[in-house]
């Protein structure tokens, strides 16, 4: 893992919910390797319930049978992931993704399967059983698969060590752990146990915590135990959710740094919710999608594509292959909001960040419902000499200027890279 670059990848949730299968994962991996790897995209993440044979949509089948080994550890459903047959787990799928030069990730739930507790199955490395370590009062509010684990119980450490030993043997590079980010402080000790077990498993893995909103007062803990943590609940293609992200990003921007990133969640672009309707595409306008990529980029959120990549059109591809925007995401430091105010009769927001290559990034957002035409004085970002300016989406250049005239559609954005004026 590059500690200085927030992860870039794809996650199956937005398009398939709990129902993704091996063939679909491979097709998306093939697409990323062919079209996106050269731009820095590298993670392929299988989201929730890969161990549930009857999963068919974003809806969960409550209290259904799960695939599990003799040591209380969930394993892939063979009918959905046929290469897992014979106890191989995700070994072959991970190897396939690695052969493309990409990295492999999975979603897990905090805790131990209720099925293991009810059957009182074994835990590897100890004589204790699932029932001995379960915290049955600790349950997920929206999924019935798991009980929490009581870290004070003998056998709890062995259980978490055993699951990460298994994931490491498969070749896993990324763990998205759910039902934990906003469960603090009452599940804090379980989070610490889980994190320590992952970090001692012998394989480098990104640890991502969900769901949000994470607790701002626990920011320092998230940094210590994980690499990324969700600052929002599931983010979908709704303008109000995107508008609210400006406030969340402003709150969390000071906690972004090497190896730890507040996570604004997946990018619902292109075809999404494919388990319901193959014709479903993002409801964000083009301007709103540009705004989203710009905010995620300057804020340095992890970038996880949510749509079915094989169905991307030219516009969607232009969003995720814009080299200047990706460079901003990679090179931005000390990102923060400069101001938020009404200009030309509509609300605007100005963000800035320093570039590791020198110079400054700024992003101007029109968050109101009217088109606008405004002037941005570079003195607003403490540049008092004339400068050269590059607009990152259009490639438009301005030379030796102290003011930028910005024309924006409603919900639109312009992003700029500002350097010392050429002599």
């Amino acid at each position: 893992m590059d500690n200085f670059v927030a992860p870039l990848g794809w996650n199956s949730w937005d398009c398939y919910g709990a129902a993704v299968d091996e063939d679909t994962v491979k097709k998306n991996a093939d697409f990323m390797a062919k079209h996106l790897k050269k731009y820095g995209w590298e993670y392929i993440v299988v989201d929730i319930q890969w161990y549930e044979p009857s999963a068919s949509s974003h809806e969960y089948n409550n209290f259904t049978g799960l695939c599990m080994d003799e040591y209380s550890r969930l394993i892939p459903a063979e009918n959905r992931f046929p290469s897992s047959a014979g106890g191989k787990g995700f070994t072959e799928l991970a190897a396939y993704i690695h052969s493309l030069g990409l990295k492999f990730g999975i979603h897990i739930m905090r805790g131990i399967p209720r099925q293991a507790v009810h059957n009182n199955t074994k835990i590897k490395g100890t004589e204790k059983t699932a029932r001995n370590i379960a915290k049955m009062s600790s349950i997920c509010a929206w999924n019935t698969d798991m009980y929490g684990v009581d870290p004070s119980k003998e056998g709890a450490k062995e259980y978490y060590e055993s699951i990460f030993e298994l994931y490491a043997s498969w070749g896993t590079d990324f763990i998205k752990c759910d039902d934990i980010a906003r469960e603090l402080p009452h599940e804090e000790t379980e989070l610490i146990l889980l994190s320590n077990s992952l970090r001692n498993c012998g394989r480098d893995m990104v640890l991502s915590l969900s769901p949000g909103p994470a607790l701002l007062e626990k920011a320092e803990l998230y940094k210590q135990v994980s690499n990324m943590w969700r600052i929002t609940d599931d983010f979908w293609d709704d303008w109000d959710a995107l508008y609210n992200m400006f406030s969340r990003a402003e709150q969390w921007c000071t906690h972004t740094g090497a190896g730890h990133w507040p996570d604004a969640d997946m990018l619902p672009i292109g075809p999404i919710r494919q388990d319901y309707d193959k014709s479903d595409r993002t409801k964000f306008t083009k301007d709103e999608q540009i705004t989203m990529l710009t905010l995620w980029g300057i804020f340095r959120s992890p970038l996880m594509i949510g749509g079915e990549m094989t169905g991307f059109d030219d516009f969607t591809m232009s969003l995720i292959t814009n080299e200047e925007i990706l460079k901003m995401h990679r090179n931005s430091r000390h990102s923060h909001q400069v101001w938020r105010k009404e200009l030309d009769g509509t609300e605007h927001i100005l963000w800035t960040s320093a570039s590791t290559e020198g110079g400054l990034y700024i992003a101007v957002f029109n968050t109101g419902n009217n088109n606008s035409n405004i002037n941005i004085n570079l003195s607003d970002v403490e540049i008092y000499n004339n400068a050269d300016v590059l607009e990152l989406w259009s490639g438009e250049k301005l030379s030796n200027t102290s003011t930028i005239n910005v024309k924006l559609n409603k919900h639109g954005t312009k992003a700029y890279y500002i350097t010392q004026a050429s002599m």
Side-chain angles (χ1 to χ4, degrees):
M1 180 183 68
D2 186 338
N3 281 330
F4 299 102
V5 181
L8 283 76
W10 173 84
N11 178 291
S12 61
W13 172 258
D14 281 0
C15 41
Y16 297 105
V20 73
D21 59 25
E22 184 167 353
D23 183 59
T24 301
V25 173
K26 284 185 171 181
K27 287 178 180 177
N28 279 275
D30 290 342
F31 185 93
M32 180 178 286
K34 182 177 180 180
H35 299 288
L36 298 178
K37 183 174 69 171
K38 62 184 177 182
Y39 296 99
W41 300 90
E42 60 178 345
Y43 288 97
I44 296 289
V45 181
V46 178
D47 209 270
I48 194 168
Q49 286 199 322
W50 36 266
Y51 43 79
E52 210 276 74
S54 60
S56 59
S57 72
H58 280 79
E59 310 302 323
Y60 304 121
N61 298 314
N62 291 333
F63 305 108
T64 191
L66 309 176
C67 298
M68 190 178 73
D69 73 6
E70 62 179 314
Y71 295 117
S72 308
R73 302 177 299 188
L74 296 170
I75 56 176
E78 293 181 13
N79 63 318
R80 294 168 54 199
F81 298 93
S83 72
S84 68
K88 294 192 292 291
F90 277 129
T91 303
E92 291 192 6
L93 180 56
Y96 179 82
I97 289 169
H98 292 156
S99 74
L100 300 174
L102 304 175
K103 296 179 180 179
F104 175 69
I106 58 172
H107 173 289
I108 67 171
M109 294 291 291
R110 170 183 66 87
I112 190 165
R114 296 189 191 189
Q115 178 176 301
V117 176
H118 298 161
N119 295 337
N120 203 26
T121 48
K122 295 186 289 186
I123 294 170
K124 187 177 182 182
T126 177
E127 294 183 357
K128 300 298 181 181
T129 64
R131 199 170 295 168
N132 295 137
I133 69 168
K135 187 178 179 181
M136 286 181 278
S137 62
S138 176
I139 59 175
C140 177
W142 43 267
N143 178 276
T144 61
D145 293 345
M146 313 293 271
Y147 288 126
V149 165
D150 185 342
S152 69
K153 297 295 181 65
E154 185 180 347
K157 180 174 179 286
E158 288 81 0
Y159 168 70
Y160 268 119
E161 287 177 345
S162 76
I163 65 170
F164 289 113
E165 175 188 57
L166 181 64
Y167 304 153
S169 74
W170 291 345
T172 307
D173 306 296
F174 185 107
I175 298 289
K176 174 184 174 182
C177 183
D178 219 333
D179 190 38
I180 203 162
R182 69 182 179 207
E183 299 307 310
L184 307 184
H186 54 284
E187 306 302 349
E188 187 169 317
T189 55
E190 186 173 3
L191 171 57
I192 293 169
L193 175 61
L194 181 152
S195 174
N196 289 340
S197 299
L198 181 149
R199 301 204 185 286
N200 292 325
C201 76
R203 184 175 179 84
D204 185 24
M205 301 185 204
V206 171
L207 178 57
S208 168
L209 306 181
S210 287
L215 307 180
L216 193 59
E217 64 271 21
K218 291 294 182 179
E220 296 305 320
L221 176 65
Y222 296 130
K223 291 186 217 179
Q224 293 169 31
V225 300
S226 69
N227 303 109
M228 46 191 278
W229 57 91
R230 284 261 299 278
I231 62 173
T232 179
D233 205 338
D234 285 4
F235 176 80
W236 284 103
D237 49 337
D238 174 75
W239 169 251
D240 287 342
L242 178 51
Y243 180 75
N244 290 334
M245 196 63 70
F246 284 94
S247 296
R248 297 182 188 278
E250 182 189 11
Q251 289 180 313
W252 282 100
C253 63
T254 59
H255 297 289
T256 296
H260 51 82
W261 301 282
D263 178 14
D265 201 16
M266 288 174 278
L267 303 166
I269 55 176
I272 54 177
R273 293 178 289 262
Q274 297 297 283
D275 51 315
Y276 295 124
D277 185 350
K278 294 294 184 184
S279 66
D280 192 4
R281 298 187 70 88
T282 184
K283 293 178 175 60
F284 280 137
T285 66
K286 289 182 177 181
D287 284 306
E288 289 166 350
Q289 291 176 69
I290 290 171
T291 288
M292 176 174 59
L293 263 292
T294 304
L295 179 60
W296 270 234
I298 198 167
F299 172 55
R300 267 175 99 198
S301 170
L303 300 179
M304 301 300 290
I305 295 167
E308 168 55 62
M309 291 188 287
T310 64
F312 281 0
D313 58 18
D314 290 344
F315 173 76
T316 308
M317 288 298 293
S318 74
L319 289 173
I320 57 176
T321 61
N322 183 303
E323 294 187 72
E324 294 295 341
I325 291 293
L326 293 172
K327 182 187 287 188
M328 178 177 72
H329 177 257
R330 185 169 61 251
N331 291 346
S332 282
R333 299 293 186 271
H334 318 302
S335 306
H336 62 277
Q337 180 179 296
V338 178
W339 49 246
R340 183 172 190 160
K341 58 189 177 183
E342 184 172 304
L343 296 168
D344 196 24
T346 193
E347 184 187 57
H348 291 77
I349 300 173
L350 179 67
W351 272 69
T352 189
S353 68
S355 170
T356 57
E357 296 182 354
L360 201 68
Y361 289 108
I362 67 170
V364 188
F365 304 92
N366 177 350
T367 54
N369 292 319
N370 301 303
N371 298 344
S372 64
N373 187 350
I374 63 173
N375 288 320
I376 299 295
N377 295 316
L378 296 187
S379 60
D380 284 1
V381 289
E382 300 188 73
I383 295 177
Y384 300 107
N385 298 315
N386 285 4
D388 294 335
V389 178
L390 169 69
E391 205 286 309
L392 305 185
W393 289 105
S394 66
E396 178 186 0
K397 295 180 179 180
L398 298 172
S399 298
N400 198 27
T401 184
S402 62
T403 304
I404 309 172
N405 178 254
V406 186
K407 295 181 179 180
L408 293 173
N409 294 332
K410 73 171 188 176
H411 303 174
T413 300
K414 294 280 181 74
Y416 300 93
Y417 180 48
I418 303 170
T419 54
Q420 183 177 351
S422 302
M423 301 301 291

